[in-house]
Amino acid sequence: MQLYKSRGFSDFFQDTFAFINQNGKHFFKHYFIINGVFLLILIGIGYLFTKFYTNVVFGGFLGGNQSTTVLDNYINDHLGLFIAIMFIFIFVAIIAAMVSYVFPAIYLKLYVAHDGYPFNTAQIINVYKQNIGKLIIYLICSMLLGIPLLIVFFVVAFILAITIIGLLAIPLLFGAFMLFYIMTLMEYLEHKRGIWESFRYSWELLKSKFWAAAGCVGLFYLISYIIQNVINIIPYLFGMASLFTTIETGGPGNDELDTTMTIILLAVFFLSFLVSAFLNTIVQLNQGIIFYSLKEDLENINAKSIIDQIGSGE
C-alpha cells in the first residue's frame, strides 16, 4: 500500500482499514512483542488496584459500613504498599505510554523505508535506540508547548460547549490537537528538521486540509471513546443489579457477591485494557496515514519519485 498518496476525508478512513487488512498481522505482532512486557506489568498493577477497589467500595458499601471509614482503615493498613504500587504504576505507565505512542510512527517510517517489505523486531528496536535523545527532547518540548495549547484548547472547548452545535465540534478540536502532535513527532523522526521546525511544519500540514484531517481523527477518537466507555460501564451495571438483588430478595451473601464482583471487574479491566490499546493504535495509524497524505500534497514526494524512475528507465 502506498502511503505517499493524496487523499480526501473518506480515503483517510478507507485506507486506514485497508492498511490494517494488508499489514495488520505484521503490525500488531510486533506491537505486542515490543509493548507486551509493559502491558503485562500494567495489567498486574491494575489487578491490585481492582482488588483494592472491590475491597473498599463493594465490600464496605454492601457490608453496611460507611465507605469513608472503610477507605481510611484500608489505606492505613496498606499505606506503604499502596504508595509503592502508585509510584511503580506511574513510572511504568509513562514509559509504556511513550513506547506505545511512538510505535506506529516508527513502524510507518520503516514501512516507507523498506517500500512495504517485511522488517523484523530488531530493526524496530534499533530505531527506538537511535532516537532516544530525540524522544526525550520531543517529550520535554511537547510539555512546554502543551501548557499554553491546553489553556487555549479548554477555553475554546468551554465556549463551544455552550451550544449543542459547538459541543459537536469538540471532537474536531481534540482531533486537531492530537494530530498536530503526532505529525510533529513523525516529521522529527525523519531527521530533516529540528523540533521547533517540526512543530511549524506540522501546523502547515494541518492547515492544508484541516476539516478533513482533524474531522477524521476526531471521529476516530469519538468512536474509540464510546466503545471503551460501553465496556467500562459493565461492572457498574452488574454491581447495581447485585446490590438491589441483595437488598430486595436477600440474594447471595457479601462474600459471594464480592467474589463475583471481583471476577467481573478483573475481566472487564483486562478486556478494556486490551481494547483501549488496540483502538488507540488504530487511531494513531490513521493519523500516520493522514501525515503521509498531507506530506504528499505539500511536497509531491511520490510524484517526484515516479518521474525519477521514468527518467532512469530511459
Side-chain angles (χ1 to χ4, degrees):
M1 176 178 171
Q2 182 64 50
L3 292 181
Y4 283 115
K5 171 186 173 183
S6 181
R7 297 176 175 89
F9 180 80
S10 60
D11 297 323
F12 292 148
F13 278 95
Q14 294 174 6
D15 283 2
T16 298
F17 292 109
F19 184 89
I20 294 173
N21 183 53
Q22 295 176 17
N23 307 283
K25 183 177 180 180
H26 185 261
F27 177 87
F28 286 106
K29 170 188 173 183
H30 290 89
Y31 174 83
F32 284 109
I33 289 175
I34 292 175
N35 293 274
V37 175
F38 299 109
L39 293 176
L40 289 175
I41 294 175
L42 291 176
I43 288 175
I45 297 175
Y47 165 78
L48 297 177
F49 279 122
T50 304
K51 187 67 176 177
F52 170 84
Y53 184 80
T54 53
N55 285 340
V56 173
V57 178
F58 288 101
F61 185 67
L62 294 176
N65 297 320
Q66 293 183 354
S67 58
T68 54
T69 303
V70 176
L71 180 61
D72 290 340
N73 292 337
Y74 197 88
I75 289 180
N76 289 334
D77 293 339
H78 304 81
L79 182 60
L81 178 62
F82 184 77
I83 293 176
I85 293 175
M86 278 292 295
F87 275 111
I88 295 173
F89 179 81
I90 293 173
F91 178 74
V92 175
I94 292 175
I95 297 177
M98 196 62 188
V99 172
S100 178
Y101 180 77
V102 175
F103 180 83
I106 290 178
Y107 184 93
L108 292 178
K109 175 182 172 68
L110 287 172
Y111 184 90
V112 171
H114 290 77
D115 198 21
Y117 289 102
F119 42 91
N120 54 39
T121 306
Q123 291 171 290
I124 298 176
I125 294 176
N126 283 337
V127 178
Y128 273 104
K129 292 179 179 178
Q130 294 167 5
N131 291 279
I132 289 179
K134 280 182 169 288
L135 296 179
I136 294 175
I137 293 174
Y138 170 80
L139 181 61
I140 295 173
C141 293
S142 295
M143 293 173 64
L144 292 174
L145 185 61
I147 295 174
L149 286 180
L150 282 174
I151 294 174
V152 174
F153 174 84
F154 284 116
V155 170
V156 175
F158 176 77
I159 296 173
L160 291 174
I162 296 176
T163 65
I164 296 178
I165 296 178
L167 190 62
L168 296 176
I170 292 179
L172 176 73
L173 184 63
F174 183 76
F177 185 83
M178 299 304 294
L179 182 59
F180 170 70
Y181 267 96
I182 194 67
M183 290 198 302
T184 298
L185 172 64
M186 298 183 76
E187 181 62 27
Y188 190 43
L189 291 178
E190 293 293 324
H191 297 273
K192 295 180 181 179
R193 307 175 193 271
I195 182 62
W196 299 115
E197 182 65 14
S198 295
F199 275 115
R200 186 201 64 79
Y201 183 79
S202 177
W203 176 243
E204 292 295 323
L205 292 179
L206 183 60
K207 288 193 305 180
S208 65
K209 282 187 179 179
F210 179 84
W211 298 106
C216 179
V217 175
L219 189 54
F220 259 105
Y221 271 114
L222 181 61
I223 294 172
S224 173
Y225 176 81
I226 292 173
I227 293 175
Q228 291 178 57
N229 277 272
V230 168
I231 296 174
N232 291 334
I233 202 173
I234 293 175
Y236 297 98
L237 296 177
F238 273 100
M240 294 304 297
S242 300
L243 173 61
F244 287 117
T245 300
T246 302
I247 295 175
E248 295 178 5
T249 65
N254 289 338
D255 291 340
E256 182 179 346
L257 189 57
D258 289 347
T259 301
T260 302
M261 285 308 306
T262 299
I263 295 174
I264 293 173
L265 280 171
L266 286 175
V268 171
F269 173 80
F270 295 148
L271 177 62
S272 176
F273 197 91
L274 293 175
V275 170
S276 176
F278 179 77
L279 291 177
N280 287 336
T281 304
I282 291 178
V283 174
Q284 288 176 280
L285 266 178
N286 172 251
Q287 294 172 15
I289 288 174
I290 291 174
F291 167 77
Y292 284 104
S293 176
L294 298 181
K295 196 174 177 68
E296 171 64 20
D297 289 336
L298 193 63
E299 299 185 27
N300 297 316
I301 295 174
N302 187 52
K304 292 177 182 178
S305 176
I306 292 175
I307 293 174
D308 291 340
Q309 291 174 11
I310 294 174
S312 63
E314 295 175 351

